[in-house]
Amino acid sequence: MVKDADVYVLAGLLAQDGQWSYRSLADRLRVPHPVVQRALARARAADLYSPDRREVHLPHLEEFAVHALRFLAPAQLGAIAPGVPAAWAAEPMAGAIRSSGDEPPPVWPYAQGRVRGQAIAPLHPAAPEAIEDWLELGEFLALLDSLRLGDARVRKVAGDLLAERLRSLPSVANP
């Protein structure tokens, strides 16, 4: 069974540029090395990752993210907290979705966060710290959070943006 942390690791692979090792990916994601190993083993079993090609099966991940992620890793808006913008409050969603401004934005709770908003749990607790110096990871996670949390309109926009990004990646593993 795929877990939230597995999706977080797959997002890290999508955001990765160039060569990587289990250790280097774990360091960038700010998780222990075994988290990456176990995540990729479960992703392989779910046919979301190919260890032979060392890449994500992009068509499978797109289908999974758009149709199943909100059931596997549901998110709910919580109490007001300082944090890091998440879901439609973060790029690329913030540029595609107009917010009314009446409601506080979704945020991942984070002590060093500069935005007050409604808390949502990230796919992994290390995410707020990991995106500080990894913009691409933050963008993939914003799309995934929008798919987990958003209404039908938000999920449609997030699904379209995710599909566009996945198709623009250098290599695509065929199913």
Side-chain angles (χ1 to χ4, degrees):
M1 170 82 119
V2 176
K3 298 182 178 187
D4 299 11
D6 305 345
V7 179
Y8 176 66
V9 170
L10 290 172
L13 277 180
L14 294 174
Q16 189 66 29
D17 51 357
Q19 296 296 318
W20 61 275
S21 67
Y22 285 87
R23 178 84 50 212
S24 69
L25 184 59
D27 289 346
R28 282 199 85 183
L29 289 170
R30 306 238 166 69
V31 297
H33 179 258
V35 169
V36 171
Q37 288 178 310
R38 288 190 298 264
L40 293 180
R42 284 187 295 266
R44 178 181 184 266
D47 204 20
L48 296 173
Y49 172 74
S50 170
D52 299 332
R53 299 173 92 180
R54 293 177 49 88
E55 61 187 29
V56 177
H57 286 276
L58 300 180
H60 296 187
L61 180 67
E62 179 183 349
E63 182 178 2
F64 170 79
V66 169
H67 299 291
L69 185 58
R70 70 186 179 120
F71 301 107
L72 173 81
Q76 292 184 333
L77 293 171
I80 302 296
V84 176
W88 56 86
E91 290 299 335
M93 289 297 294
I97 296 284
R98 299 288 180 247
S99 178
S100 68
D102 294 339
E103 295 188 23
V107 298
W108 294 331
Y110 188 49
Q112 287 82 27
R114 296 186 184 122
V115 175
R116 288 189 59 77
Q118 287 187 279
I120 68 165
L123 287 167
H124 192 279
E129 187 179 345
I131 67 164
E132 285 180 342
D133 58 355
W134 198 1
L135 176 67
E136 297 83 6
L137 175 63
E139 290 178 352
F140 275 113
L141 293 175
L143 294 172
L144 294 172
D145 277 348
S146 295
L147 290 168
R148 295 170 56 212
L149 179 66
D151 60 18
R153 176 181 67 97
V154 169
R155 287 193 316 268
K156 169 75 170 114
V157 171
D160 291 347
L161 288 172
L162 179 65
E164 181 182 307
R165 289 206 174 209
L166 293 177
R167 287 184 183 93
S168 71
L169 291 174
S171 65
V172 176
N174 295 319

